[in-house]
Amino acid sequence: MARIAVIGAGMGAMAAAARLAVAGHRPVVFERASTYGGAVGRFERDGFAFDTGPGLLHLPAVYRDLFVKTGKEPLEDLVGLTQVEPAVRHVFADGTTTDLPNARRAGVAEALDAAVGAGAGARWSAFMNRAREAWDRSRRPLLEEPLWPNWQVLADREPYPAVVRRRLLRKDRAATTLAGIGALELGGDPRLVALLEQYALAYGLDPRTAPASAAVLPYMEQTFGTWAVTGGLRALADAVYDRCLKRKVEFRFGSAVARVVVRDGRASGVELADGTVEDAAFVVAGVAPRVLDGLLVGQGVRGEVPAQSEASWPSRLTVHLALRGAAPEGTPHRTVVHGPDRDAELAWLFDDGARPPRPTVTVLRAGDPSQVPDAGHEAVTVTATVPSHARVAEAEVESVLAAAERAVPGLRERLLWHEVRTPQDIAEATGADGGAVPAPALAAAQGRLLHPANGTGLAGLFAVGGWSHPGGGLPHAGMSGALVAGLIVEGPEFRGSQ
């Protein structure tokens, strides 16, 4: 039985701690804040409650596995879990609206035919078939196994089977990026292109440069479904924390770690901000890269993966809205309102261009009675992808509200108050440079969308959470916890769950 120091109480770190405790180790979690969950937080005011991080769950199997492996309890016995229907409503720039059903491929095709025109569903379905091949080829190495030592194979190999367009007397063409798929395989219809590219934007990826392998993102959502948690995603964080406590994981809140203690070339504990040294056989760091670098005093042990720098990832602007009046019957849980000028939006996010007149926003209207003071009110969350380090002015908030009005008619007349969460707030909660939010790992793209391995260049030190393999997103955080626990319990020969 080994004492293990865990830095941070984010979802990946708690997932690792619970698994390590079940394996007989003694994890101690040191968290600088006063609570757990990391990015999965909650804001409450006047009887309203809002998730400050993700608002919907994908790939719930990750957390089902966690609770079964650490206590033989189904996830559904611990939190209320419901597939939302429809999965999402899209409001396109030209006013076209379509509701896409949850995890029903044929239903998605029918909805697209009705909204976009005959043949649109067939083009999308053919694309999803190719996305399934990309998923089958990359799922294990990207999600279920520790990052390969020869990760360059993943960097150089594109798993998406792009359609080759033969051209007379000219070079054949095939999509190499997500934007290329929209142009060459979806017929260039602006609504299908917007539908596809929204999956990249939601994760802070530039569809113009995101590899074709990013096709796995819409595939995962439309195949495995979209789920709501009663009480919000914070209820899932509560359940993971409770599971840790039941497995005798020790938490020390308000305990900032100043450095990782290194003895004889191995991580052997942590030194707290008050000078106290806590010895440990292993150290698990669930923190952002710049935070970990600071804890290592420039030892540079993050590995050789050429991932994007932390500050290059975009952030999120979130506006929580307290509204008088209940949502109308049949209101979709999630609506994506597409911006009118995608080129300008991409230039703003990735090329230092001017702010577009209105960004693409995601509007969440859970209709959860536990998140409002009474049935005569509604809690709405609006989120937009924005550049990291962005200083949010009132004009940005107004543009987000203007976009949200396309999904919530009469919004301003119903508005009691709103609360703004900026990239600076995210930076404060997570420690990430400029409030950057990491994306899931993707194959190809010369490895720039991979993330550093869970094992580091320092013996005894492991990295967990969205900034390490397999990358950002709530399911991926849970996967990183499983990988780190496996590497500690079974050693470097661990090759993932079978």
Side-chain angles (χ1 to χ4, degrees), residues 267-283:
S268 59
V270 296
E271 180 181 337
L272 304 183
D274 64 3
T276 303
V277 173
E278 300 280 351
D279 292 331
F282 299 93
V283 176

Side-chain angles (χ1 to χ4, degrees), residues 4 21 67 80 94 99 107 135 150-151 170 234 244 248 275 277 329 336 348 377 382 393 404 413 439 471 481 489:
I4 299 175
F67 285 104
D94 67 352
D99 289 353
W135 168 260
N150 61 333
W151 56 264
R170 290 186 293 172
R234 179 65 182 185
C244 286
K248 309 302 182 185
V277 173
E329 189 73 23
V336 175
W348 172 58
H377 294 85
V382 187
E413 291 75 21
V489 172

Side-chain angles (χ1 to χ4, degrees), residues 20-304:
L20 288 167
V22 168
H25 295 293
R26 293 183 293 115
V28 182
V29 180
F30 299 93
E31 170 56 56
R32 65 185 178 91
S34 61
T35 189
Y36 50 86
V40 185
R42 177 185 285 135
F43 171 75
E44 296 179 286
R45 174 181 165 186
D46 299 339
F48 292 87
F50 304 88
D51 284 319
T52 59
L56 290 168
L57 179 64
H58 300 105
L59 291 178
V62 173
Y63 289 90
R64 289 190 179 110
D65 182 73
L66 172 66
F67 285 104
V68 167
K69 296 289 178 58
T70 61
K72 299 181 180 179
E73 290 181 274
L75 174 61
E76 286 82 353
D77 285 358
L78 302 168
V79 298
L81 201 59
T82 306
Q83 273 193 297
V84 300
E85 192 63 60
V88 59
R89 170 174 291 171
H90 284 272
V91 179
F92 297 107
D94 67 352
T96 303
T97 299
T98 185
D99 289 353
L100 300 185
N102 202 333
R104 288 194 293 114
R105 291 265 305 275
V108 169
E110 292 172 3
L112 291 177
D113 275 341
V116 178
R123 290 195 298 275
W124 185 264
S125 294
F127 156 66
M128 290 296 284
N129 287 337
R130 293 186 289 275
R132 180 184 61 202
E133 290 191 46
W135 168 260
D136 290 341
R137 293 170 180 175
S138 61
R139 174 180 57 85
R140 270 201 72 81
L142 279 179
L143 301 180
E144 298 176 2
E145 299 177 346
L147 188 65
W148 293 347
N150 61 333
W151 56 264
Q152 291 88 349
V153 175
L154 293 173
D156 298 335
R157 184 178 299 166
E158 172 56 74
Y160 181 78
V163 176
V164 177
R165 302 296 182 187
R166 309 291 182 186
R167 302 194 299 173
L168 183 65
L169 303 179
R170 290 186 293 172
K171 184 178 180 180
D172 295 343
R173 296 184 66 191
T176 59
T177 65
L178 208 62
I181 291 174
L184 297 175
E185 299 181 11
L186 297 180
D189 184 284
R191 293 159 296 185
L192 290 184
V193 169
L195 171 61
L196 174 63
E197 293 187 351
Q198 182 270 331
Y199 288 96
L201 283 179
Y203 286 106
L205 294 167
D206 185 347
R208 302 168 302 179
T209 59
S213 65
V216 299
L217 300 177
Y219 175 80
M220 284 191 293
E221 179 175 314
Q222 293 193 6
T223 300
F224 303 113
T226 301
W227 302 76
V229 176
T230 303
L233 262 293
R234 179 65 182 185
L236 178 62
D238 294 340
V240 176
Y241 174 66
D242 288 343
R243 173 52 46 87
C244 286
L245 294 180
K246 289 180 179 178
R247 296 297 164 261
K248 309 302 182 185
V249 175
E250 181 181 349
F251 285 83
R252 298 192 190 176
F253 296 108
S255 297
V257 172
R259 70 182 180 95
V260 174
V261 176
V262 180
R263 299 190 186 100
D264 300 322
R266 178 183 178 86
S268 59
V270 296
E271 180 181 337
L272 304 183
D274 64 3
T276 303
V277 173
E278 300 280 351
D279 292 331
F282 299 93
V283 176
V284 175
V287 296
R290 70 165 181 166
V291 177
L292 181 55
D293 288 344
L295 301 180
L296 293 167
V297 197
Q299 294 186 56
V301 297
R302 290 289 287 168
E304 300 176 353

